[in-house]
Amino acid sequence: MRSFAFSKSFGVLCLVTLSMVSILHLVCGIGANWGTQSTHNLPPEILVKMLKDNGFQKVKLFDADYDTLKALGNSDIEVMVGIPNDMLTTLGSLKAAEKWVSKNVSIHLSDNNVNIRYVAVGNEPFLETYNGSYLRTTFPALQNIQTALVKAGHGNQVKVTVPLNADVYESASSLPSGGDFRAEIHDFVIQIVKFLSDNGCPFTINIYPFISLYIDSNFPVEYAFFDGNATPLNDGGTIYTNMFDANHDTLVWALKKNGFGNLPIIVGEIGWPTDGDRNANLQLAQRFNQGFMAHISEGKGTPMRPGPVDAYLFSLIDEDAKSIQPGNFERHWGIFAYDGRPKYLLNLGTTNSGSLVPASNVKYLERKWCVLKPDAKLDDPQIAPSVSYACARADCTSLGYGTSCGGLDARGNVSYAFNSYYQINDQLDDACKFSGLGTITKSDPSTPSCKFGITIEPYYGGAEPKLAYTRILLSLILLLWTIL
């Protein structure tokens, strides 16, 4: 669940399976990032079943939601629970850390039989865009969580780590062998690295070739993939044909130069989005993720780190409420859509079918959509503010140049915005008013490339009364907006 990040990760348990080309070889158990920044989350039980059906052996969370962790109980799936950055200051207190471990680790280990293996302290806290906000709060929180885990008797089973973005290191020579941690944060990173090493904990890094392509129009596209079509990079006789290996080994060199060359590495996030940008589409996402699976399946690792790669794919499912400050693609990283439908063919080497298994027992709302009235005129002065209102409160990231719905005409764009708002608000009649411009239809307005969604039933977990009140309040707000 990053901002401007570069990574995702996979599991390390290896098993023998048939590859896509029917050659017997080792495939490492795969992990997935499970984020929950969505307006309508699938019930955790459905997603846990989907994880198991697809052979995921590890999952990385961004918080410690009780219902999510309870659903993972007795699943044998290895779990990395997360501590958000905004909690790091509070956890500078050992007492607060002990309380957090008791509530979010101990209870689930003892009462719910959840296989918690890691606690991720923060999420990319040293990201350049944070301007040093968490530089001095991350390490104290890390120390205190580790102390609390040991005190609770979990020190051997549960390890701490800090998922960092790949922007924490760089290369003066543009070659992996020139790698070192950025000068301005060098001491902060080494402090964490030494602590991880002393306590037998891994270094977690997020690597995103897509982001490199997104921010640099001159980035060599083929170097992002694993097809061997890129111009090779020669680093003193070591040949690199893809960005992942080169980026990963830049970190290895940085660790080695600072005396920690054997520190275990987890790739916490790696993946490719499917919408929201001209380079974010189904074809490139399938090419990247399948290429990555093939690349790590033989257990060869990278030139500087031979052996199985421990990684978690980013991400399991789309999240339509994520911040789009880094880019519109942020809501489209999932290998599954919001409702648990596979987006494309992907062989993880974990199931007999060789393709993704969809979520089961998903409950949708009615098959109806909100669209612009056929007789509405596009020069109506209420069109622009209505679309702006809808897109600010819903999800219009599939509209725009190079996106899945980029080919819609003007009326289609308006209808897409209206429908997104209507669905996010649980198909409330008042959510399709738009100053009299909207109308509800049972005729699917989708096109071959652009899907007008139907939302899934709301999942409230243990908060039904509070959310029911919120929904009533929302209805009143919508009514007032249509009147005004």
Side-chain angles (χ1 to χ4, degrees):
M1 199 84 74
R2 332 148 334 286
S3 262
F4 249 150
F6 284 67
S7 124
K8 305 285 180 217
S9 84
F10 270 77
V12 71
L13 186 65
C14 293
L15 48 101
V16 177
T17 186
L18 282 173
S19 73
M20 293 185 71
V21 292
S22 301
I23 299 175
L24 201 65
H25 62 264
L26 289 175
V27 172
C28 290
I30 181 175
N33 283 266
W34 175 355
T36 56
Q37 293 188 46
S38 302
T39 58
H40 290 71
N41 284 304
L42 285 167
E45 295 77 13
I46 288 180
L47 282 175
V48 170
K49 183 178 185 302
M50 189 172 79
L51 285 166
K52 294 178 69 176
D53 287 346
N54 285 280
F56 286 102
Q57 296 161 354
K58 298 170 181 277
V59 68
K60 177 170 167 280
L61 308 175
F62 295 90
D63 53 25
D65 175 70
Y66 181 86
D67 290 344
T68 300
L69 284 166
K70 186 176 180 181
L72 285 161
N74 299 306
S75 68
D76 292 327
I77 295 173
E78 293 187 4
V79 180
M80 181 186 294
V81 295
I83 296 175
N85 292 333
D86 59 11
M87 290 185 64
L88 295 176
T89 299
T90 300
L91 295 174
S93 157
L94 179 57
K95 186 176 180 180
E98 289 175 349
K99 184 177 180 181
W100 188 93
V101 167
S102 175
K103 178 183 178 183
N104 299 295
V105 177
S106 299
I107 288 176
H108 291 293
L109 289 174
S110 61
D111 296 355
N112 297 326
N113 196 26
V114 182
N115 187 13
I116 297 175
R117 299 300 299 276
Y118 300 104
V119 175
V121 181
N123 182 54
E124 299 184 337
F126 294 172
L127 201 65
E128 283 192 271
T129 52
Y130 290 152
N131 297 316
S133 299
Y134 306 108
L135 282 178
R136 288 173 173 78
T137 56
T138 302
F139 185 60
L142 181 70
Q143 286 179 303
N144 287 336
I145 290 294
Q146 169 68 14
T147 300
L149 287 169
V150 172
K151 185 175 179 179
H154 310 316
N156 291 328
Q157 177 179 348
V158 185
K159 299 296 183 180
V160 293
T161 188
V162 181
L164 294 171
N165 187 281
D167 70 356
V168 298
Y169 50 86
E170 58 191 3
S171 173
S173 65
S174 298
L175 297 172
S177 59
D180 202 349
F181 298 108
R182 287 196 346 255
E184 65 271 28
I185 61 170
H186 183 276
D187 292 348
F188 292 101
V189 177
I190 293 303
Q191 187 180 44
I192 288 174
V193 167
K194 184 179 186 307
F195 184 82
L196 295 175
S197 178
D198 289 346
N199 290 279
C201 303
F203 188 102
T204 300
I205 194 69
N206 299 338
I207 301 175
Y208 284 107
F210 170 82
I211 301 293
S212 296
L213 180 60
Y214 178 76
I215 63 178
D216 181 5
S217 59
N218 295 317
F219 183 84
V221 177
E222 291 300 321
Y223 199 55
F225 299 96
F226 302 91
D227 308 323
N229 297 328
T231 301
L233 181 68
N234 189 331
D235 187 2
T238 302
I239 304 300
Y240 291 92
T241 59
N242 66 83
M243 180 193 162
F244 170 76
D245 283 357
N247 190 298
H248 182 280
D249 283 2
T250 302
L251 168 60
V252 176
W253 274 104
L255 292 169
K256 185 177 179 181
K257 284 177 184 175
N258 289 280
F260 300 95
N262 294 320
L263 188 66
I265 295 173
I266 290 176
V267 181
E269 301 176 14
I270 188 164
W272 199 280
T274 58
D275 211 348
D277 181 71
R278 62 189 181 91
N279 290 312
N281 56 56
L282 298 174
Q283 293 73 31
L284 292 183
Q286 195 275 344
R287 181 185 175 193
F288 179 85
N289 285 328
Q290 195 63 73
F292 180 71
M293 287 305 306
H295 185 64
I296 68 169
S297 65
E298 296 177 352
K300 289 193 293 190
T302 66
M304 289 295 292
R305 276 287 179 94
V309 174
D310 186 4
Y312 297 78
L313 189 65
F314 193 91
S315 78
L316 182 65
I317 199 161
D318 280 353
E319 300 170 76
D320 68 345
K322 286 187 71 176
S323 168
I324 57 172
Q325 185 272 328
N328 286 344
F329 55 83
E330 276 298 318
R331 296 175 177 174
H332 304 279
W333 286 98
I335 58 174
F336 293 91
Y338 69 99
D339 56 357
R341 288 177 298 103
K343 294 184 186 177
Y344 47 83
L345 291 175
L346 184 61
N347 187 339
L348 302 175
T350 57
T351 63
N352 293 330
S353 67
S355 58
L356 297 175
V357 180
S360 54
N361 299 316
V362 178
K363 293 181 171 59
Y364 296 85
L365 297 187
E366 279 188 71
R367 284 185 56 82
K368 57 182 182 179
W369 299 262
C370 176
V371 296
L372 180 65
K373 280 184 176 178
D375 59 351
K377 298 193 180 336
L378 287 173
D379 59 358
D380 188 303
Q382 289 301 315
I383 288 280
S386 294
V387 170
S388 294
Y389 182 89
C391 288
R393 292 158 179 79
D395 181 21
C396 295
T397 56
S398 292
L399 298 174
Y401 174 70
T403 60
S404 64
C405 297
L408 294 176
D409 60 16
R411 300 190 72 87
N413 284 330
V414 176
S415 292
Y416 187 94
F418 283 6
N419 185 64
S420 179
Y421 183 77
Y422 175 66
Q423 300 295 340
I424 279 176
N425 287 290
D426 299 330
Q427 298 183 351
L428 291 171
D429 287 345
D430 287 339
C432 190
K433 297 295 186 184
F434 295 107
S435 301
L437 294 170
T439 185
I440 296 169
T441 179
K442 293 195 174 182
S443 178
D444 189 350
S446 300
T447 70
S449 64
C450 178
K451 180 175 176 58
F452 282 60
I454 300 173
T455 199
I456 55 178
E457 288 188 359
Y459 167 75
Y460 298 130
E464 291 92 341
K466 179 180 178 182
L467 287 174
Y469 171 78
T470 302
R471 181 169 173 169
I472 293 170
L473 183 62
L474 175 63
S475 298
L476 292 173
I477 293 172
L478 288 170
L479 180 61
L480 285 173
W481 183 75
T482 56
I483 292 173
L484 296 175

